[in-house]
Amino acid sequence: MGVKECRAMLAAAFGNSASSYHKGRSILHSIFAYGLRQEWCDRNPVDAIEAPRVKEKPIEPLTPEEVGRLERAAERPEHRDMQLSLKLMLYCGIRPTEVTRIDPQRDIVGDELIIRPNTSKTGGGRVVPLRKVATYIKQHRGALTIPDRWEQRWRALRRAARFRSWRPDICRHTFATYHARHFRNLPALQLEMGHTTPRLLHSRYLSPIGQSAARRFWNM
Protein backbone atom coordinates (compact mmCIF):
# COMPACT_ATOMS: atom_id res chain seq x y z
CA MET A 1 0.00 0.00 0.00
CA GLY A 2 1.36 3.39 -1.00
CA VAL A 3 0.83 7.00 0.01
CA LYS A 4 -2.08 7.50 -2.38
CA GLU A 5 -3.97 4.47 -1.06
CA CYS A 6 -3.34 5.42 2.55
CA ARG A 7 -4.56 8.97 1.97
CA ALA A 8 -7.71 7.71 0.27
CA MET A 9 -8.37 5.26 3.12
CA LEU A 10 -8.03 7.96 5.75
CA ALA A 11 -10.23 10.37 3.81
CA ALA A 12 -12.96 7.76 3.39
CA ALA A 13 -12.94 6.67 7.02
CA PHE A 14 -12.12 9.90 8.88
CA GLY A 15 -12.57 12.74 6.39
CA ASN A 16 -15.46 14.38 8.22
CA SER A 17 -13.43 15.40 11.26
CA ALA A 18 -9.89 16.76 11.56
CA SER A 19 -9.62 15.26 15.03
CA SER A 20 -10.75 11.81 13.85
CA TYR A 21 -8.46 12.04 10.81
CA HIS A 22 -5.53 12.85 13.11
CA LYS A 23 -6.27 9.83 15.29
CA GLY A 24 -6.76 7.58 12.27
CA ARG A 25 -3.45 8.71 10.82
CA SER A 26 -1.70 7.94 14.11
CA ILE A 27 -3.17 4.41 14.17
CA LEU A 28 -2.22 3.73 10.55
CA HIS A 29 1.27 5.12 11.15
CA SER A 30 1.71 2.76 14.12
CA ILE A 31 0.64 -0.22 11.99
CA PHE A 32 3.24 0.52 9.34
CA ALA A 33 5.86 1.26 12.01
CA TYR A 34 5.27 -2.24 13.40
CA GLY A 35 5.59 -3.65 9.86
CA LEU A 36 8.93 -1.90 9.48
CA ARG A 37 10.23 -3.43 12.71
CA GLN A 38 9.12 -6.85 11.49
CA GLU A 39 10.74 -6.16 8.09
CA TRP A 40 7.40 -6.70 6.31
CA CYS A 41 7.82 -3.38 4.46
CA ASP A 42 10.68 -1.03 3.69
CA ARG A 43 9.02 2.33 4.38
CA ASN A 44 6.14 3.98 6.20
CA PRO A 45 3.92 5.67 3.60
CA VAL A 46 2.03 7.56 6.29
CA ASP A 47 5.16 9.70 6.86
CA ALA A 48 4.29 11.49 3.61
CA ILE A 49 0.74 12.31 4.75
CA GLU A 50 0.57 15.59 6.61
CA ALA A 51 -1.29 15.48 9.91
CA PRO A 52 -4.12 18.04 9.99
CA ARG A 53 -3.99 20.80 12.52
CA VAL A 54 -6.61 20.20 15.16
CA LYS A 55 -8.01 23.23 16.91
CA GLU A 56 -8.99 22.19 20.39
CA LYS A 57 -12.40 23.41 21.48
CA PRO A 58 -12.42 24.98 24.94
CA ILE A 59 -14.33 22.94 27.51
CA GLU A 60 -15.98 24.93 30.26
CA PRO A 61 -15.46 23.47 33.75
CA LEU A 62 -18.32 22.66 36.06
CA THR A 63 -19.44 25.63 38.09
CA PRO A 64 -19.26 25.47 41.90
CA GLU A 65 -23.07 25.18 41.86
CA GLU A 66 -22.91 22.15 39.55
CA VAL A 67 -20.21 20.57 41.71
CA GLY A 68 -22.45 21.12 44.70
CA ARG A 69 -25.30 19.29 42.97
CA LEU A 70 -23.07 16.27 42.39
CA GLU A 71 -21.79 16.30 45.96
CA ARG A 72 -25.29 16.51 47.43
CA ALA A 73 -26.55 13.71 45.19
CA ALA A 74 -23.64 11.51 46.31
CA GLU A 75 -24.64 12.05 49.96
CA ARG A 76 -27.95 10.27 49.41
CA PRO A 77 -27.98 6.70 50.79
CA GLU A 78 -28.53 5.14 47.36
CA HIS A 79 -25.46 6.91 45.90
CA ARG A 80 -23.00 6.96 48.79
CA ASP A 81 -20.92 4.20 47.21
CA MET A 82 -19.92 6.78 44.56
CA GLN A 83 -18.64 9.42 46.98
CA LEU A 84 -14.99 8.37 46.81
CA SER A 85 -15.06 8.06 43.02
CA LEU A 86 -16.61 11.51 42.64
CA LYS A 87 -14.13 13.18 44.97
CA LEU A 88 -11.13 11.58 43.24
CA MET A 89 -12.34 12.80 39.85
CA LEU A 90 -13.21 16.33 40.99
CA TYR A 91 -10.41 17.09 43.43
CA CYS A 92 -7.56 14.89 42.15
CA GLY A 93 -8.20 14.91 38.40
CA ILE A 94 -8.40 11.12 38.15
CA ARG A 95 -9.85 9.82 34.89
CA PRO A 96 -13.00 7.65 35.07
CA THR A 97 -11.13 4.68 33.56
CA GLU A 98 -8.43 5.08 36.22
CA VAL A 99 -10.97 5.28 39.05
CA THR A 100 -12.33 1.85 38.12
CA ARG A 101 -8.84 0.33 38.44
CA ILE A 102 -7.95 1.83 41.82
CA ASP A 103 -7.66 -0.31 44.93
CA PRO A 104 -8.26 2.20 47.76
CA GLN A 105 -6.69 -0.01 50.42
CA ARG A 106 -3.49 -0.39 48.39
CA ASP A 107 -3.21 2.81 46.39
CA ILE A 108 -4.06 5.41 49.05
CA VAL A 109 -0.93 5.96 51.10
CA GLY A 110 -1.06 8.70 53.72
CA ASP A 111 -2.33 11.86 52.03
CA GLU A 112 -1.44 10.72 48.51
CA LEU A 113 -2.99 8.55 45.82
CA ILE A 114 -0.64 6.38 43.79
CA ILE A 115 -1.69 5.91 40.17
CA ARG A 116 0.31 2.87 39.07
CA PRO A 117 1.33 2.27 35.44
CA ASN A 118 -1.23 -0.51 35.04
CA THR A 119 -3.90 1.84 36.42
CA SER A 120 -3.04 4.87 34.30
CA LYS A 121 -4.74 5.42 30.96
CA THR A 122 -1.41 6.38 29.37
CA GLY A 123 0.71 3.71 31.05
CA GLY A 124 2.73 6.14 33.18
CA GLY A 125 2.52 6.20 36.96
CA ARG A 126 2.09 9.33 39.04
CA VAL A 127 1.45 10.42 42.63
CA VAL A 128 -1.43 12.82 43.30
CA PRO A 129 -1.98 14.76 46.55
CA LEU A 130 -5.38 14.04 48.06
CA ARG A 131 -5.81 17.53 49.52
CA LYS A 132 -9.43 17.98 50.60
CA VAL A 133 -10.22 14.31 49.86
CA ALA A 134 -7.85 13.30 52.68
CA THR A 135 -10.37 14.25 55.38
CA TYR A 136 -13.08 12.09 53.82
CA ILE A 137 -10.67 9.17 53.53
CA LYS A 138 -9.62 9.40 57.17
CA GLN A 139 -13.26 9.39 58.24
CA HIS A 140 -14.16 6.36 56.08
CA ARG A 141 -10.87 4.46 55.99
CA GLY A 142 -12.40 1.05 56.59
CA ALA A 143 -15.21 1.50 54.08
CA LEU A 144 -13.53 2.95 51.01
CA THR A 145 -14.85 1.26 47.90
CA ILE A 146 -15.07 1.57 44.15
CA PRO A 147 -18.45 0.00 43.33
CA ASP A 148 -19.13 -2.70 40.76
CA ARG A 149 -21.05 -1.74 37.60
CA TRP A 150 -19.25 1.55 37.89
CA GLU A 151 -20.39 3.14 34.62
CA GLN A 152 -24.02 2.42 35.49
CA ARG A 153 -23.57 3.84 38.99
CA TRP A 154 -21.87 6.96 37.59
CA ARG A 155 -24.72 7.61 35.14
CA ALA A 156 -27.24 7.17 37.94
CA LEU A 157 -25.43 9.72 40.09
CA ARG A 158 -25.39 12.27 37.27
CA ARG A 159 -29.11 11.77 36.70
CA ALA A 160 -29.75 12.25 40.42
CA ALA A 161 -27.80 15.52 40.21
CA ARG A 162 -30.10 16.63 37.34
CA PHE A 163 -27.55 16.54 34.53
CA ARG A 164 -29.33 15.88 31.25
CA SER A 165 -26.13 15.90 29.20
CA TRP A 166 -22.50 15.24 30.09
CA ARG A 167 -19.15 16.09 28.55
CA PRO A 168 -16.49 13.35 28.75
CA ASP A 169 -13.72 14.03 31.29
CA ILE A 170 -15.41 17.24 32.48
CA CYS A 171 -14.43 16.46 36.09
CA ARG A 172 -10.78 16.33 35.02
CA HIS A 173 -11.14 19.64 33.18
CA THR A 174 -12.78 21.10 36.26
CA PHE A 175 -9.93 19.96 38.51
CA ALA A 176 -7.25 21.36 36.18
CA THR A 177 -8.98 24.71 35.72
CA TYR A 178 -9.57 25.38 39.40
CA HIS A 179 -6.13 24.02 40.37
CA ALA A 180 -4.38 26.38 37.94
CA ARG A 181 -6.36 29.40 39.09
CA HIS A 182 -6.11 28.72 42.82
CA PHE A 183 -2.61 27.28 43.28
CA ARG A 184 -0.94 29.02 40.28
CA ASN A 185 1.59 26.21 39.88
CA LEU A 186 1.52 24.72 36.38
CA PRO A 187 4.58 22.44 36.85
CA ALA A 188 2.87 20.78 39.83
CA LEU A 189 -0.41 20.52 37.91
CA GLN A 190 1.39 18.94 34.96
CA LEU A 191 2.82 16.24 37.23
CA GLU A 192 -0.52 15.58 38.91
CA MET A 193 -2.27 15.30 35.53
CA GLY A 194 0.40 12.92 34.23
CA HIS A 195 1.32 15.05 31.20
CA THR A 196 4.83 14.89 29.76
CA THR A 197 4.64 18.49 28.49
CA PRO A 198 2.58 21.57 29.46
CA ARG A 199 1.19 21.95 25.90
CA LEU A 200 -1.99 19.99 26.55
CA LEU A 201 -2.72 22.00 29.69
CA HIS A 202 -2.61 25.26 27.74
CA SER A 203 -4.54 23.99 24.73
CA ARG A 204 -7.37 22.11 26.43
CA TYR A 205 -7.63 22.49 30.18
CA LEU A 206 -7.09 26.06 31.24
CA SER A 207 -10.40 27.88 30.91
CA PRO A 208 -10.43 31.43 32.30
CA ILE A 209 -12.35 31.65 35.57
CA GLY A 210 -12.46 34.10 38.44
CA GLN A 211 -10.44 33.73 41.63
CA SER A 212 -13.61 33.73 43.72
CA ALA A 213 -14.99 30.69 41.85
CA ALA A 214 -11.72 28.84 42.35
CA ARG A 215 -11.74 29.66 46.06
CA ARG A 216 -15.32 28.41 46.39
CA PHE A 217 -14.42 25.16 44.63
CA TRP A 218 -11.53 24.35 46.95
CA ASN A 219 -13.38 25.48 50.08
CA MET A 220 -16.76 23.89 49.40
Side-chain angles (χ1 to χ4, degrees):
M1 184 181 292
V3 176
K4 183 178 179 181
E5 291 81 5
C6 288
R7 186 177 283 115
M9 179 189 298
L10 290 171
F14 307 104
N16 294 329
S17 166
S19 177
S20 296
Y21 190 99
H22 192 282
K23 292 177 182 177
R25 181 190 177 278
S26 297
I27 294 170
L28 191 58
H29 188 279
S30 298
I31 292 171
F32 276 101
Y34 179 78
L36 276 172
R37 292 195 298 271
Q38 299 299 318
E39 298 184 351
W40 295 338
C41 55
D42 56 7
R43 68 190 182 103
N44 191 331
V46 186
D47 284 333
I49 301 175
E50 184 176 355
R53 297 188 64 179
V54 178
K55 185 177 181 181
E56 298 285 357
K57 296 180 180 179
I59 299 178
E60 294 298 321
L62 296 171
T63 65
E65 289 77 15
E66 290 173 323
V67 171
R69 279 161 48 193
L70 283 167
E71 290 269 32
R72 288 190 295 273
E75 291 173 357
R76 300 176 191 171
E78 64 270 28
H79 298 298
R80 282 178 186 163
D81 60 348
M82 286 296 294
Q83 281 189 314
L84 177 61
S85 299
L86 177 64
K87 292 177 185 298
L88 292 178
M89 290 188 291
L90 282 174
Y91 304 118
C92 298
I94 309 304
R95 299 177 178 94
T97 53
E98 294 172 337
V99 169
T100 62
R101 302 169 186 166
I102 288 172
D103 179 347
Q105 305 304 323
R106 177 197 65 181
D107 298 331
I108 294 174
V109 180
D111 290 342
E112 295 178 326
L113 173 66
I114 301 174
I115 300 296
R116 304 176 192 275
N118 62 345
T119 300
S120 171
K121 175 184 175 182
T122 58
R126 65 189 191 276
V127 178
V128 183
L130 291 168
R131 294 193 179 88
K132 62 182 298 179
V133 187
T135 300
Y136 172 85
I137 287 172
K138 290 175 182 176
Q139 293 172 345
H140 300 83
R141 187 73 211 191
L144 298 175
T145 61
I146 304 296
D148 296 330
R149 299 180 294 114
W150 192 89
E151 289 288 349
Q152 180 179 337
R153 302 292 300 128
W154 178 216
R155 287 194 297 270
L157 176 60
R158 299 198 306 262
R159 286 195 300 269
R162 306 189 311 280
F163 283 92
R164 295 183 178 179
S165 62
W166 190 257
R167 291 154 288 177
D169 274 347
I170 189 61
C171 289
R172 186 167 162 86
H173 283 269
T174 299
F175 164 77
T177 299
Y178 289 119
H179 186 298
R181 188 70 175 95
H182 188 70
F183 297 107
R184 309 183 71 84
N185 189 339
L186 290 187
L189 177 58
Q190 179 185 329
L191 289 174
E192 293 179 34
M193 296 284 283
H195 293 166
T196 55
T197 72
R199 183 189 62 82
L200 194 57
L201 283 178
H202 289 282
S203 65
R204 291 198 68 191
Y205 289 98
L206 302 186
S207 301
I209 59 167
Q211 181 65 44
S212 61
R215 189 181 305 111
R216 287 175 60 197
F217 175 82
W218 288 106
N219 293 321
M220 287 181 68

